[in-house]
Amino acid sequence: MTQSATSHLLPVFARADLGFERGEGCWLTATNGERYLDFTSGVAVNALGHCHPHLVAALQEQATKLWHMSNLFKSPDGERLAARLCEQSFADFVFFANSGAEAMECAIKVTRKFHAAKGHPERYRIITFDSAFHGRTLATLAATGSPKYLEGFGPPMDGFDQVTLGDLDAVKKATGPHTAGILIEPLQGEGGVRAAPHAFFKALRQLCDDNGLLLVFDEVQTGVGRTGDLFAYKRIGVTPDVMSLAKALGGGFPIGACLATAEAASGMTPGSHGSTFGGNPLAVAAANAVLDVMLKPGFFDHVQKMSLLLKQKLASVVDRYPGVLSEVRGEGLLIGLKAVVPSTDLVAALREQKLLTVGAGENVVRFLPPLIVTEAEIEESVACLEHACAKFADSRLKQAAGQ
Ligand SMILES: *Cc1c(COP(=O)(O)O)cnc(C)c1O
Protein backbone atom coordinates (compact mmCIF):
# COMPACT_ATOMS: atom_id res chain seq x y z
CA MET A 1 0.00 0.00 0.00
CA THR A 2 1.61 3.23 -1.09
CA GLN A 3 0.35 6.76 -1.16
CA SER A 4 -1.40 8.01 -4.25
CA ALA A 5 0.82 9.22 -7.08
CA THR A 6 -0.92 12.60 -6.99
CA SER A 7 0.08 13.37 -3.39
CA HIS A 8 1.99 16.58 -2.83
CA LEU A 9 3.26 15.47 0.57
CA LEU A 10 7.01 14.90 0.48
CA PRO A 11 7.20 11.12 0.09
CA VAL A 12 9.37 10.45 3.15
CA PHE A 13 6.81 8.21 4.88
CA ALA A 14 5.61 4.77 3.77
CA ARG A 15 2.00 5.61 4.56
CA ALA A 16 -0.74 2.99 4.79
CA ASP A 17 -3.64 3.57 2.40
CA LEU A 18 -5.90 4.62 5.23
CA GLY A 19 -6.85 8.01 6.65
CA PHE A 20 -8.85 9.07 9.69
CA GLU A 21 -11.23 11.89 10.37
CA ARG A 22 -12.09 11.58 14.04
CA GLY A 23 -11.23 9.83 17.23
CA GLU A 24 -12.71 9.19 20.63
CA GLY A 25 -10.80 7.50 23.44
CA CYS A 26 -9.00 4.47 22.00
CA TRP A 27 -11.10 4.45 18.81
CA LEU A 28 -10.57 6.06 15.43
CA THR A 29 -13.03 6.49 12.60
CA ALA A 30 -11.56 6.21 9.10
CA THR A 31 -12.61 8.43 6.21
CA ASN A 32 -14.58 5.44 4.88
CA GLY A 33 -16.52 5.21 8.15
CA GLU A 34 -14.79 2.10 9.52
CA ARG A 35 -13.77 2.00 13.17
CA TYR A 36 -10.29 1.03 14.31
CA LEU A 37 -8.87 0.28 17.76
CA ASP A 38 -5.87 2.58 18.08
CA PHE A 39 -2.89 0.90 19.74
CA THR A 40 -0.47 3.38 18.17
CA SER A 41 -1.57 6.47 20.14
CA GLY A 42 0.06 8.47 17.33
CA VAL A 43 3.32 6.73 18.31
CA ALA A 44 3.05 7.18 22.07
CA VAL A 45 1.55 10.68 21.80
CA ASN A 46 -2.19 10.46 22.52
CA ALA A 47 -1.65 9.13 26.04
CA LEU A 48 -5.17 10.13 27.10
CA GLY A 49 -6.72 8.84 23.90
CA HIS A 50 -8.43 10.98 21.30
CA CYS A 51 -10.49 14.03 22.24
CA HIS A 52 -10.24 13.59 25.99
CA PRO A 53 -12.92 15.99 27.31
CA HIS A 54 -10.57 17.73 29.76
CA LEU A 55 -7.97 18.35 27.04
CA VAL A 56 -10.59 19.54 24.56
CA ALA A 57 -12.00 21.98 27.12
CA ALA A 58 -8.53 23.28 28.05
CA LEU A 59 -7.57 23.94 24.43
CA GLN A 60 -10.94 25.46 23.55
CA GLU A 61 -10.68 27.82 26.48
CA GLN A 62 -7.09 28.79 25.67
CA ALA A 63 -8.01 29.32 22.00
CA THR A 64 -10.34 32.13 23.03
CA LYS A 65 -7.69 33.85 25.19
CA LEU A 66 -4.19 33.80 23.70
CA TRP A 67 -2.61 31.64 20.99
CA HIS A 68 0.95 32.81 20.86
CA MET A 69 3.25 35.06 22.86
CA SER A 70 6.94 35.51 22.33
CA ASN A 71 9.43 34.49 24.96
CA LEU A 72 10.32 38.19 25.30
CA PHE A 73 7.61 38.26 27.97
CA LYS A 74 6.67 36.28 31.03
CA SER A 75 4.67 33.11 30.60
CA PRO A 76 2.44 32.51 33.63
CA ASP A 77 1.08 29.18 32.39
CA GLY A 78 4.53 28.12 31.23
CA GLU A 79 5.85 28.90 34.71
CA ARG A 80 3.12 26.74 36.18
CA LEU A 81 3.86 23.82 33.84
CA ALA A 82 7.60 24.06 34.51
CA ALA A 83 7.02 24.19 38.27
CA ARG A 84 4.78 21.12 38.11
CA LEU A 85 7.32 19.16 36.03
CA CYS A 86 10.10 20.09 38.46
CA GLU A 87 7.96 19.20 41.46
CA GLN A 88 7.34 15.77 39.94
CA SER A 89 10.97 15.16 38.94
CA PHE A 90 14.63 15.71 39.84
CA ALA A 91 14.80 18.91 37.78
CA ASP A 92 15.14 22.59 38.70
CA PHE A 93 14.76 24.09 35.21
CA VAL A 94 12.71 23.38 32.10
CA PHE A 95 13.16 24.60 28.53
CA PHE A 96 10.12 24.18 26.30
CA ALA A 97 10.53 23.12 22.68
CA ASN A 98 8.15 21.85 20.01
CA SER A 99 9.26 18.28 19.40
CA GLY A 100 11.36 15.44 20.70
CA ALA A 101 14.31 16.22 18.47
CA GLU A 102 14.31 19.83 19.65
CA ALA A 103 14.12 18.77 23.28
CA MET A 104 17.13 16.54 22.57
CA GLU A 105 19.00 19.37 20.84
CA CYS A 106 18.61 21.39 24.03
CA ALA A 107 19.78 18.43 26.15
CA ILE A 108 22.90 18.10 23.99
CA LYS A 109 23.61 21.84 24.19
CA VAL A 110 23.07 21.90 27.98
CA THR A 111 25.52 19.00 28.34
CA ARG A 112 28.22 20.62 26.22
CA LYS A 113 27.78 24.09 27.72
CA PHE A 114 28.01 22.70 31.27
CA HIS A 115 31.64 21.78 30.66
CA ALA A 116 32.49 24.80 28.50
CA ALA A 117 31.23 27.16 31.22
CA LYS A 118 33.52 25.38 33.68
CA GLY A 119 36.51 26.07 31.41
CA HIS A 120 36.47 22.74 29.55
CA PRO A 121 35.13 23.35 26.04
CA GLU A 122 37.13 20.30 24.90
CA ARG A 123 34.66 18.13 26.80
CA TYR A 124 31.90 18.00 24.21
CA ARG A 125 31.60 14.32 23.27
CA ILE A 126 28.58 12.29 24.29
CA ILE A 127 28.44 8.50 24.56
CA THR A 128 25.34 6.96 22.95
CA PHE A 129 24.13 3.41 22.29
CA ASP A 130 23.43 1.14 19.34
CA SER A 131 19.83 1.02 18.05
CA ALA A 132 19.10 4.29 19.85
CA PHE A 133 16.70 6.84 18.44
CA HIS A 134 17.01 10.52 19.33
CA GLY A 135 15.40 12.33 16.39
CA ARG A 136 15.88 13.49 12.80
CA THR A 137 17.70 16.81 13.07
CA LEU A 138 21.35 16.66 12.05
CA ALA A 139 22.66 16.59 15.64
CA THR A 140 20.10 14.07 16.93
CA LEU A 141 20.71 11.91 13.84
CA ALA A 142 24.41 11.86 14.67
CA ALA A 143 23.47 10.86 18.23
CA THR A 144 21.17 8.17 16.81
CA GLY A 145 24.02 6.94 14.65
CA SER A 146 21.90 4.84 12.32
CA PRO A 147 23.67 4.59 8.91
CA LYS A 148 20.35 4.24 7.06
CA TYR A 149 19.13 7.61 8.41
CA LEU A 150 22.49 9.40 7.99
CA GLU A 151 23.18 8.26 4.42
CA GLY A 152 23.30 11.10 1.90
CA PHE A 153 23.18 13.99 4.34
CA GLY A 154 26.87 14.82 4.43
CA PRO A 155 29.35 14.19 7.22
CA PRO A 156 27.52 13.38 10.45
CA MET A 157 27.96 15.99 13.17
CA ASP A 158 31.02 15.24 15.28
CA GLY A 159 30.80 14.53 18.99
CA PHE A 160 29.05 11.20 19.52
CA ASP A 161 30.67 7.90 20.45
CA GLN A 162 28.35 4.95 20.06
CA VAL A 163 28.78 1.74 22.04
CA THR A 164 26.75 -1.45 22.54
CA LEU A 165 23.74 -1.16 24.86
CA GLY A 166 24.50 -2.85 28.17
CA ASP A 167 28.27 -3.07 27.60
CA LEU A 168 29.76 -1.23 30.56
CA ASP A 169 33.37 -1.96 29.58
CA ALA A 170 32.73 -0.37 26.19
CA VAL A 171 31.32 2.72 27.92
CA LYS A 172 34.38 2.93 30.15
CA LYS A 173 36.70 2.54 27.17
CA ALA A 174 34.86 5.29 25.29
CA THR A 175 35.11 7.66 28.27
CA GLY A 176 38.01 10.06 27.97
CA PRO A 177 39.14 13.66 28.52
CA HIS A 178 36.73 14.84 25.79
CA THR A 179 33.64 13.12 27.20
CA ALA A 180 30.85 15.41 28.39
CA GLY A 181 28.08 12.95 29.15
CA ILE A 182 26.19 9.75 28.46
CA LEU A 183 22.87 9.77 26.59
CA ILE A 184 20.47 6.84 26.85
CA GLU A 185 16.78 5.93 26.52
CA PRO A 186 15.46 4.22 29.69
CA LEU A 187 13.76 1.79 27.31
CA GLN A 188 14.51 1.94 23.60
CA GLY A 189 11.28 2.49 21.67
CA GLU A 190 12.11 2.69 17.95
CA GLY A 191 15.04 0.33 18.49
CA GLY A 192 12.63 -2.53 19.28
CA VAL A 193 11.47 -2.01 22.89
CA ARG A 194 14.97 -2.95 24.04
CA ALA A 195 15.89 -2.59 27.69
CA ALA A 196 19.19 -2.66 29.54
CA PRO A 197 19.29 -4.09 33.08
CA HIS A 198 18.67 -1.61 35.91
CA ALA A 199 22.18 -2.42 37.17
CA PHE A 200 23.57 -1.01 33.91
CA PHE A 201 21.84 2.34 34.55
CA LYS A 202 23.16 2.36 38.13
CA ALA A 203 26.67 1.71 36.82
CA LEU A 204 26.30 4.57 34.30
CA ARG A 205 25.23 6.88 37.14
CA GLN A 206 28.31 5.89 39.10
CA LEU A 207 30.58 6.35 36.09
CA CYS A 208 29.14 9.83 35.52
CA ASP A 209 29.61 10.77 39.18
CA ASP A 210 33.19 9.47 39.22
CA ASN A 211 34.15 11.34 36.03
CA GLY A 212 32.13 14.55 36.29
CA LEU A 213 29.90 13.55 33.35
CA LEU A 214 26.24 14.40 32.90
CA LEU A 215 23.76 11.54 32.61
CA VAL A 216 21.10 12.38 30.02
CA PHE A 217 17.91 10.36 29.66
CA ASP A 218 15.92 10.60 26.45
CA GLU A 219 12.40 10.11 27.81
CA VAL A 220 10.70 11.46 24.70
CA GLN A 221 8.88 8.14 24.29
CA THR A 222 9.05 6.63 27.80
CA GLY A 223 8.16 9.83 29.66
CA VAL A 224 4.80 11.23 30.71
CA GLY A 225 3.21 7.99 31.80
CA ARG A 226 4.08 5.51 29.06
CA THR A 227 6.01 3.06 31.24
CA GLY A 228 3.64 3.15 34.22
CA ASP A 229 5.00 6.13 36.12
CA LEU A 230 5.24 9.79 35.13
CA PHE A 231 8.88 9.21 34.18
CA ALA A 232 10.64 5.90 33.45
CA TYR A 233 13.72 6.85 35.47
CA LYS A 234 11.63 6.55 38.65
CA ARG A 235 10.96 2.89 37.93
CA ILE A 236 14.63 2.24 37.23
CA GLY A 237 15.68 4.01 40.42
CA VAL A 238 18.41 6.03 38.71
CA THR A 239 18.16 9.81 38.44
CA PRO A 240 19.60 11.61 35.42
CA ASP A 241 20.96 15.18 35.33
CA VAL A 242 19.15 16.09 32.12
CA MET A 243 16.00 14.62 30.57
CA SER A 244 14.09 15.23 27.36
CA LEU A 245 10.33 14.84 27.01
CA ALA A 246 7.92 15.33 24.15
CA LYS A 247 5.53 12.79 22.65
CA ALA A 248 2.82 12.42 25.34
CA LEU A 249 3.51 15.74 27.05
CA GLY A 250 0.86 17.66 25.10
CA GLY A 251 -1.49 14.67 24.69
CA GLY A 252 -1.42 15.31 20.92
CA PHE A 253 -0.51 19.00 20.85
CA PRO A 254 3.15 19.45 19.82
CA ILE A 255 5.38 20.32 22.76
CA GLY A 256 8.79 19.12 23.92
CA ALA A 257 10.75 19.86 27.06
CA CYS A 258 14.29 19.62 28.31
CA LEU A 259 14.57 19.28 32.08
CA ALA A 260 17.80 19.75 34.01
CA THR A 261 19.17 20.20 37.50
CA ALA A 262 20.42 23.69 38.39
CA GLU A 263 23.98 22.32 38.33
CA ALA A 264 23.63 20.68 34.91
CA ALA A 265 22.00 23.83 33.49
CA SER A 266 24.61 26.14 35.01
CA GLY A 267 26.11 27.00 31.62
CA MET A 268 22.82 28.19 30.13
CA THR A 269 22.42 31.97 30.33
CA PRO A 270 20.24 34.56 28.53
CA GLY A 271 20.88 34.18 24.80
CA SER A 272 22.46 30.72 24.94
CA HIS A 273 19.35 28.99 23.58
CA GLY A 274 15.93 29.93 22.27
CA SER A 275 12.79 29.07 20.33
CA THR A 276 10.02 31.11 18.74
CA PHE A 277 7.22 28.68 19.45
CA GLY A 278 8.66 26.89 22.49
CA GLY A 279 6.25 27.11 25.43
CA ASN A 280 3.47 28.46 23.22
CA PRO A 281 0.31 29.13 25.32
CA LEU A 282 -1.78 26.55 23.44
CA ALA A 283 0.88 23.87 23.91
CA VAL A 284 1.34 24.74 27.56
CA ALA A 285 -2.44 24.65 28.17
CA ALA A 286 -2.58 21.17 26.62
CA ALA A 287 0.35 19.92 28.71
CA ASN A 288 -1.05 21.36 31.93
CA ALA A 289 -4.32 19.59 31.16
CA VAL A 290 -2.46 16.29 30.58
CA LEU A 291 -0.82 16.64 34.00
CA ASP A 292 -4.21 17.45 35.60
CA VAL A 293 -5.42 14.01 34.51
CA MET A 294 -2.25 11.99 35.09
CA LEU A 295 -1.58 13.38 38.55
CA LYS A 296 -5.00 12.31 39.85
CA PRO A 297 -4.57 9.52 42.41
CA GLY A 298 -4.83 6.07 40.87
CA PHE A 299 -3.96 7.04 37.29
CA PHE A 300 -0.72 5.04 37.20
CA ASP A 301 -2.28 2.14 39.14
CA HIS A 302 -4.60 1.80 36.17
CA VAL A 303 -1.71 1.92 33.69
CA GLN A 304 0.19 -0.76 35.61
CA LYS A 305 -2.89 -2.94 35.92
CA MET A 306 -3.59 -2.70 32.19
CA SER A 307 0.09 -3.36 31.48
CA LEU A 308 0.04 -6.60 33.45
CA LEU A 309 -3.17 -7.73 31.81
CA LEU A 310 -1.94 -6.96 28.29
CA LYS A 311 1.43 -8.64 28.87
CA GLN A 312 -0.19 -11.78 30.31
CA LYS A 313 -2.66 -12.07 27.46
CA LEU A 314 -0.01 -11.43 24.81
CA ALA A 315 2.28 -14.02 26.42
CA SER A 316 -0.43 -16.64 26.13
CA VAL A 317 -0.87 -15.86 22.42
CA VAL A 318 2.92 -16.12 21.96
CA ASP A 319 2.80 -19.56 23.62
CA ARG A 320 0.08 -20.76 21.28
CA TYR A 321 1.62 -19.37 18.07
CA PRO A 322 5.37 -19.95 18.29
CA GLY A 323 5.58 -19.93 14.50
CA VAL A 324 4.25 -16.35 14.38
CA LEU A 325 5.46 -14.68 17.60
CA SER A 326 8.41 -15.25 19.87
CA GLU A 327 8.47 -12.82 22.79
CA VAL A 328 6.68 -10.10 24.76
CA ARG A 329 8.84 -7.26 26.08
CA GLY A 330 8.48 -3.78 27.52
CA GLU A 331 7.22 -1.79 30.47
CA GLY A 332 3.92 -0.15 31.25
CA LEU A 333 2.06 0.34 27.99
CA LEU A 334 5.19 0.43 25.83
CA ILE A 335 4.89 -3.21 24.87
CA GLY A 336 6.81 -4.97 22.11
CA LEU A 337 5.83 -8.21 20.47
CA LYS A 338 8.78 -9.82 18.74
CA ALA A 339 7.53 -11.50 15.60
CA VAL A 340 8.76 -14.57 13.75
CA VAL A 341 6.88 -13.56 10.60
CA PRO A 342 8.00 -10.20 9.15
CA SER A 343 6.78 -7.51 11.58
CA THR A 344 5.52 -5.38 8.67
CA ASP A 345 3.26 -8.29 7.62
CA LEU A 346 1.97 -8.60 11.17
CA VAL A 347 1.22 -4.86 11.41
CA ALA A 348 -0.68 -5.14 8.10
CA ALA A 349 -2.57 -8.26 9.25
CA LEU A 350 -3.57 -6.54 12.50
CA ARG A 351 -4.73 -3.52 10.51
CA GLU A 352 -7.01 -5.87 8.55
CA GLN A 353 -8.44 -6.92 11.94
CA LYS A 354 -9.02 -3.18 12.60
CA LEU A 355 -6.24 -2.94 15.18
CA LEU A 356 -3.54 -0.29 14.65
CA THR A 357 -0.01 -1.01 15.91
CA VAL A 358 3.50 0.32 15.18
CA GLY A 359 6.58 -1.48 13.91
CA ALA A 360 9.98 -1.12 15.60
CA GLY A 361 13.53 -2.47 15.24
CA GLU A 362 14.44 -6.14 15.80
CA ASN A 363 11.27 -7.29 13.99
CA VAL A 364 9.11 -6.04 16.87
CA VAL A 365 5.53 -4.77 16.73
CA ARG A 366 4.74 -2.13 19.33
CA PHE A 367 1.44 -2.09 21.22
CA LEU A 368 1.07 1.51 22.43
CA PRO A 369 -2.54 1.89 23.57
CA PRO A 370 -3.73 5.14 25.11
CA LEU A 371 -3.06 4.92 28.86
CA ILE A 372 -6.80 5.16 29.50
CA VAL A 373 -7.36 1.84 27.69
CA THR A 374 -9.96 -0.42 29.34
CA GLU A 375 -9.88 -4.13 30.08
CA ALA A 376 -12.49 -4.72 27.36
CA GLU A 377 -10.35 -2.87 24.80
CA ILE A 378 -7.30 -4.93 25.74
CA GLU A 379 -9.35 -8.09 25.30
CA GLU A 380 -10.50 -6.84 21.91
CA SER A 381 -6.91 -6.15 20.83
CA VAL A 382 -5.83 -9.63 21.88
CA ALA A 383 -8.75 -11.15 19.94
CA CYS A 384 -7.55 -9.24 16.84
CA LEU A 385 -4.04 -10.62 17.41
CA GLU A 386 -5.40 -14.16 17.78
CA HIS A 387 -7.26 -13.88 14.49
CA ALA A 388 -4.19 -12.54 12.71
CA CYS A 389 -1.99 -15.30 14.19
CA ALA A 390 -4.48 -17.99 13.22
CA LYS A 391 -4.37 -16.75 9.63
CA PHE A 392 -0.56 -16.81 9.57
CA ALA A 393 -0.51 -20.31 11.09
CA ASP A 394 -3.13 -21.48 8.61
CA SER A 395 -1.23 -20.19 5.59
CA ARG A 396 1.94 -21.87 6.88
CA LEU A 397 0.14 -25.20 7.19
CA LYS A 398 -1.11 -24.82 3.64
CA GLN A 399 2.40 -23.97 2.45
CA ALA A 400 3.80 -27.01 4.26
CA ALA A 401 1.12 -29.19 2.63
CA GLY A 402 2.27 -27.84 -0.74
CA GLN A 403 -1.00 -26.06 -1.52
C1 LIG B 1 10.15 10.11 18.84
C2 LIG B 1 11.44 10.19 19.55
C3 LIG B 1 12.31 11.28 19.35
C4 LIG B 1 12.07 12.35 18.33
O1 LIG B 1 10.90 13.06 18.57
P1 LIG B 1 10.29 14.00 17.39
O2 LIG B 1 9.14 14.69 18.08
O3 LIG B 1 9.85 13.09 16.30
O4 LIG B 1 11.35 14.92 16.97
C5 LIG B 1 13.46 11.34 20.12
N1 LIG B 1 13.74 10.38 21.02
C6 LIG B 1 12.94 9.30 21.23
C7 LIG B 1 13.30 8.30 22.26
C8 LIG B 1 11.77 9.18 20.49
O5 LIG B 1 10.98 8.12 20.68
Side-chain angles (χ1 to χ4, degrees):
M1 294 203 261
T2 52
Q3 83 196 94
S4 132
T6 57
S7 174
H8 292 283
L9 294 172
L10 193 69
V12 292
F13 296 105
R15 295 174 190 271
D17 188 17
L18 181 64
F20 297 94
E21 57 183 23
R22 57 175 54 243
E24 190 184 355
C26 297
W27 295 89
L28 282 165
T29 305
T31 45
N32 64 7
E34 288 177 333
R35 267 161 58 88
Y36 285 77
L37 185 53
D38 181 15
F39 272 34
T40 68
S41 299
V43 191
V45 169
N46 303 96
L48 302 180
H50 300 278
C51 292
H52 188 288
H54 184 65
L55 268 59
V56 171
L59 260 188
Q60 280 177 339
E61 194 197 327
Q62 187 60 44
T64 63
K65 292 201 298 198
L66 191 65
W67 284 29
H68 179 75
M69 268 308 297
S70 99
N71 285 307
L72 296 171
F73 302 96
K74 285 193 160 187
S75 166
D77 293 330
E79 292 281 358
R80 176 161 172 262
L81 178 60
R84 293 172 93 188
L85 289 171
C86 288
E87 191 187 304
Q88 297 296 327
S89 74
F90 65 90
D92 301 303
F93 290 113
V94 183
F95 176 83
F96 290 119
N98 312 290
S99 65
E102 279 180 68
M104 274 312 310
E105 289 274 342
C106 181
I108 293 165
K109 287 177 78 174
V110 164
T111 303
R112 290 179 167 198
K113 197 68 185 270
F114 167 79
H115 294 284
K118 286 189 169 6
H120 290 287
E122 78 284 359
R123 294 185 71 171
Y124 68 92
R125 305 194 68 83
I126 296 176
I127 295 171
T128 61
F129 296 90
D130 67 308
S131 297
F133 185 77
H134 300 298
R136 300 287 202 138
T137 62
L138 288 169
T140 57
L141 266 188
T144 294
S146 165
K148 75 172 184 212
Y149 295 154
L150 284 162
E151 167 80 31
F153 297 114
M157 184 181 156
D158 179 40
F160 299 96
D161 298 306
Q162 199 166 67
V163 302
T164 303
L165 183 68
D167 186 344
L168 190 62
D169 283 338
V171 180
K172 284 181 179 164
K173 261 189 216 138
T175 304
H178 299 291
T179 308
I182 299 173
L183 165 61
I184 187 166
E185 294 155 83
L187 175 62
Q188 288 188 346
E190 308 297 313
V193 193
R194 281 170 92 225
H198 289 186
F200 181 66
F201 288 92
K202 292 199 168 81
L204 292 183
R205 179 71 271 175
Q206 191 63 48
L207 193 69
C208 286
D209 292 345
D210 293 346
N211 294 278
L213 310 178
L214 295 184
L215 183 59
V216 184
F217 278 7
D218 179 346
E219 290 228 29
V220 168
Q221 185 155 164
T222 55
V224 197
R226 185 47 59 186
T227 65
D229 206 328
L230 195 57
F231 307 115
Y233 81 83
K234 296 189 176 192
R235 293 181 71 76
I236 295 175
V238 171
T239 304
D241 303 295
V242 181
M243 171 170 79
S244 56
L245 302 175
K247 290 192 165 88
L249 183 57
F253 201 96
I255 179 170
C258 175
L259 282 68
T261 62
E263 171 67 4
S266 57
M268 303 304 278
T269 50
S272 58
H273 197 44
S275 166
T276 297
F277 290 120
N280 170 290
L282 290 168
V284 160
N288 268 318
V290 167
L291 289 187
D292 291 344
V293 176
M294 287 195 186
L295 296 180
K296 286 217 174 95
F299 184 86
F300 294 110
D301 296 337
H302 173 78
V303 178
Q304 286 168 26
K305 202 172 139 200
M306 293 302 110
S307 168
L308 200 65
L309 185 73
L310 180 57
K311 280 203 219 176
Q312 281 171 345
K313 290 193 177 277
L314 291 179
S316 102
V317 183
V318 171
D319 285 346
R320 274 174 290 130
Y321 293 99
V324 185
L325 306 169
S326 68
E327 188 192 334
V328 182
R329 24 165 105 163
E331 283 275 331
L333 290 172
L334 205 182
I335 304 291
L337 204 49
K338 193 166 163 62
V340 176
V341 299
S343 57
T344 44
D345 291 356
L346 183 57
V347 169
L350 292 172
R351 197 165 57 231
E352 271 173 34
Q353 301 295 324
K354 307 281 186 283
L355 174 67
L356 304 177
T357 56
V358 198
E362 295 197 338
N363 207 41
V364 163
V365 173
R366 270 175 293 175
F367 277 50
L368 302 166
L371 306 182
I372 52 147
V373 68
T374 63
E375 212 168 307
E377 286 159 344
I378 282 180
E379 272 160 18
E380 174 120 14
S381 76
V382 175
C384 293
L385 178 66
E386 295 241 24
H387 282 122
C389 286
K391 282 198 172 173
F392 278 112
D394 200 37
S395 72
R396 293 204 151 198
L397 280 179
K398 282 185 184 147
Q399 263 173 19
Q403 287 178 11

